[in-house]
Amino acid sequence: APHPGKHGCPEGHIEIKRFLSVPVISIGRVRAVVGVANKAAPYAEEDVTQLKLFTDGLWNILERQEAERDLREVTQRFQLAVRAGRIGLWDWNLETGQVHMDLMVEDIFDLANQSRTGTAEDWLCRVHPEEQDAVRQALLAAAAQGERFEASFRVQLENGQLRHVEA
């Protein structure tokens, strides 16, 4: 018997003769339902498997895009906080000895006009001469022990001005 709520197929729409839908499940919850319709032959288990593979792959892409967007937003907030606090960031690859430093480190240590070696010596040379050996030893000890480098020292700029740094 026809359903009293049905009024037929809307004009211009294709009548659905066969229909297959599969749920997209992520973290134990149904996140979406995807359907296909009107295959010439009846749907089989292989169709279910193929549709699940497709929807799972698509869902993984969408989740990755969302995670990448979230990461970009967090990174932007982090960068704003770092700039507002005049915090310089640098990292040291202990295997290669290469150091990467951001523009704030270059500014703090007045390195803009200095030729670089790409090593920690680029900024260590700016540490006040009275503190240079202690800072170098603290840096090497932290690297050897796999700990954070923490030090308080003065930086002497080319013009003789001193800056105090907490690292």
Side-chain angles (χ1 to χ4, degrees):
H3 188 279
K6 290 186 177 181
H7 300 288
C9 190
E11 189 177 322
H13 287 226
I14 298 172
E15 181 181 357
I16 295 177
K17 298 183 192 251
R18 290 188 180 84
F19 184 73
L20 170 66
S21 65
V22 297
V24 177
I25 300 173
S26 176
I27 315 172
R29 295 184 63 202
V30 175
R31 304 297 178 168
V33 177
V34 176
V36 293
N38 291 348
K39 180 180 174 186
Y43 289 105
E45 260 325 293
E46 177 65 18
D47 298 314
V48 173
T49 300
Q50 291 298 319
L51 188 55
K52 280 184 178 180
L53 286 171
F54 172 76
T55 57
D56 288 347
L58 181 60
W59 193 257
N60 287 338
I61 290 168
L62 293 172
E63 283 182 327
R64 186 181 70 239
Q65 288 175 340
E66 182 180 12
E68 289 170 352
R69 186 191 70 239
D70 292 347
L71 179 59
R72 276 191 304 276
E73 289 173 5
V74 167
T75 299
Q76 287 173 344
R77 288 193 305 270
F78 174 75
Q79 289 172 341
L80 284 171
V82 165
R83 279 196 300 274
R86 289 197 38 87
I87 298 170
L89 301 173
W90 66 283
D91 62 87
W92 186 13
N93 182 325
L94 296 176
E95 291 178 12
T96 65
Q98 288 297 116
V99 169
H100 173 267
M101 58 186 86
D102 70 2
L103 294 174
M104 187 60 69
V105 171
E106 290 181 8
D107 182 54
I108 291 169
F109 287 87
D110 194 24
L111 299 173
N113 297 323
Q114 178 182 333
S115 61
R116 305 252 172 61
T117 63
T119 68
E121 291 302 320
D122 288 344
W123 64 266
L124 278 168
C125 69
R126 293 287 197 200
V127 174
H128 192 279
E130 293 174 6
E131 299 166 348
Q132 210 169 66
D133 288 338
V135 171
R136 183 177 277 108
Q137 292 307 314
L139 181 64
L140 294 174
Q145 296 167 9
E147 295 178 357
R148 291 177 53 146
F149 167 65
E150 294 184 23
S152 180
F153 54 88
R154 295 172 291 168
V155 172
Q156 188 165 7
L157 307 181
E158 281 186 358
N159 65 8
Q161 180 185 4
L162 291 177
R163 289 188 177 155
H164 295 271
V165 172
E166 291 287 328

